[in-house]
Amino acid sequence: MIGPPMAETVPAVEIRNLVKDFKTSFRRQPLRAVDGVSIRIEPGEVYGLIGPNGSGKSTTMKALLGLVAPTAGACAIFGKDSLKVDSRDDVGFLPENPYFYKHLSGAETLRFYGKLCGLGGRCLQERVDELLALVDLEAARDRRLGGYSKGMLQRIGLAQALIQEPRLVILDEPTAGVDPVGSRQIRDLIFKLRERGITVFLCSHLLEQVQEVCDQVGIIFQGRMIREGRLDDLIAIEDQTEIVLRDASPGLISQITALVENTPGTTLVRTGKPRTTLERLFLREIRAEER
Amino acid sequence: MSTSAHSPRQGSHCGRILVIAVHAFTQLARMKVFYFLAIFAVLAIVSNFLDWSQLAGPEAVGVNVLRTIKSTSFGAMHLFSVVLSVVATALLLPKDAEDRTLYTILAKPVPRIDYLVGKLAGVLLLVFVSLVLMDVLMTVVLQIRTMMVAAEQETMAAAMGYTPEAIASLRADTLANGSSWALQGAVFAVFLRASIMASLALLVSTFSSSTLFTTMVSFVVYFIGHFQADARDFYLQAGQAGQGGLERAITLLVALVLPDFQLFNVIDAVIEGQALPVRMLGQLTLLGLFYAVVFTLASWFIFSDKEF
């Protein structure tokens, strides 16, 4: 007899053959937003779903959260059907460009979401303090959200997503419209979540950031998953090898080049200096100016 | 940040509804809706100076003023409560969907019925608090003015040689036009009517995506609701006369779906100084509850399958 699966074997996210059609007003043929997508995310992983606008990323996330009903297929969070309310016990969600209630302060917003999750009293207050510290908004805790910048709104959004200590966090374009400094802060928060074993499912246009934080990546295009796997496997160029040297003399470079040219079946593809990214350059210069 | 030592918390339905209701109330209160109370105060005070009495006898002195105060106050309560309940309800749902705050709420373990009932309860709490404040203001103004009118009548009647019994009878009649329990009952009837309108607006807003559409449809239904009794009578008479067809179907639909708002005309009788029977108030309460529950359940039926 096969017993129930152990807790560790239950995936954080399991999307099986998801299909989602939307009715359109102008033509009889429904619009297929998601077409047979399957995703499995193990607990503790950071999964990035990338794709162009209108490729079905947000619809997939909404189906996972029960905000839209699948036309076919099924979604589950830690083994619980997404269409059931109890599947949301263990999930936090940050939608794309959230506004929240402008009349509430940062602390009031977190208290509101905490109470919705059944938190209260000292436990809730401690949690609010902890999260405001985590997202670096302690100084703005009593300021109304109407006065928050875009980056601050994203961070308070991330804090509300974490209010009930979920094991899964779903982030839809978490850095959309945020400046590089705010974007970096959110990226660092995702690292912190990973360190704490929280599963993260995010979609983003910023491929470089996805590359930095994700363990697994899926590429979705016109509603279909066209490539999926471990990031390192997907981006590695199998037939090439990279050697990065520091303070190498021109003589040493010449010797290495000669050695490679004298080795049959091996081709020197390129030599030169590695480059930093524009984002790193920008952040370095900003920090230098601040000092 | 503490690690996620997993312990799923289950808030109760009542707890979640209360949180959403208090939040909706706060949201509307911070939109400065209570500013209309200043307008109400001005109306209540101005109505003190409106005396169209043209009779010379002590029976007529000041009594019209008392009726004007009540009539003006109830007119303002009616207007504010219905407008507030429709517009506030019509505003909340589309705004949440537009701002995507609805996503973050429904992504928490919050059943959709809790969200709907919480929003409705928040609007009703706001209407209730507003009506209580207006009622207090009206009662205070009415009480002061009633005492002044009674004293004035007493002086005039004594000068005209009325007997003490006639003066006492006159005083009793005047006090009957002042503040009374019937007036409080009538204010509650105003609240019940506003509750039906709020739940109706909630139902419309579940399938509408615009505040303007919800508001317009709700007010049209409110207007038609005043002809519900006529529609019911037409349906019954047409049935007896053997007439049929489309007219009967339409009148049956109106008679079944819409509440009979003419029942709330008892408020006018109370303004005229008549009593409000407890039985009538009980019937209005049951009517209000029935339609509020039916409209809310219908809202849930639509909202539970709604996609965002």
Side-chain angles (χ1 to χ4, degrees), chain B residues 191-203:
Chain B
F191 173 70
L192 290 172
R193 181 165 48 191
S195 306
I196 295 174
M197 287 309 298
S199 47
L200 175 67
L202 184 75
L203 172 59

Side-chain angles (χ1 to χ4, degrees), chain B residues 139-151:
Chain B
T139 305
V140 168
V141 170
L142 200 57
Q143 186 65 23
I144 293 170
R145 192 64 198 225
T146 305
M147 290 302 138
M148 288 167 65
V149 167

Side-chain angles (χ1 to χ4, degrees), chain A residues 117-169:
Chain A
C117 296
L119 298 174
R122 178 177 287 185
C123 171
L124 175 59
Q125 194 52 50
E126 286 174 0
R127 187 75 187 137
V128 168
D129 294 341
E130 188 183 358
L131 285 172
L132 284 170
L134 178 77
V135 297
D136 196 20
L137 284 173
E138 286 164 303
R141 62 177 297 142
D142 296 322
R143 198 191 309 168
R144 289 195 183 176
L145 298 196
Y148 273 29
S149 69
K150 180 82 185 163
M152 291 164 84
L153 276 177
Q154 292 291 110
R155 280 184 281 146
I156 202 72
L158 192 54
Q160 69 76 25
L162 295 168
I163 191 73
Q164 84 273 32
E165 297 184 58
R167 289 188 287 166
L168 168 68
V169 178

Side-chain angles (χ1 to χ4, degrees), chain A residues 78 88-93 117 127 131 158-170 193 196-199, chain B residues 1-6 9 107-108:
Chain A
F78 291 107
R88 263 93 80 188
D89 283 339
D90 250 337
V91 63
F93 176 51
C117 296
R127 187 75 187 137
L131 285 172
L158 192 54
Q160 69 76 25
L162 295 168
I163 191 73
Q164 84 273 32
E165 297 184 58
R167 289 188 287 166
L168 168 68
V169 178
I170 298 176
L193 298 182
R196 289 163 206 281
I198 295 173
T199 313
Chain B
M1 193 173 95
S2 62
T3 52
S4 71
H6 180 54
R9 297 172 189 84
K108 300 288 182 201

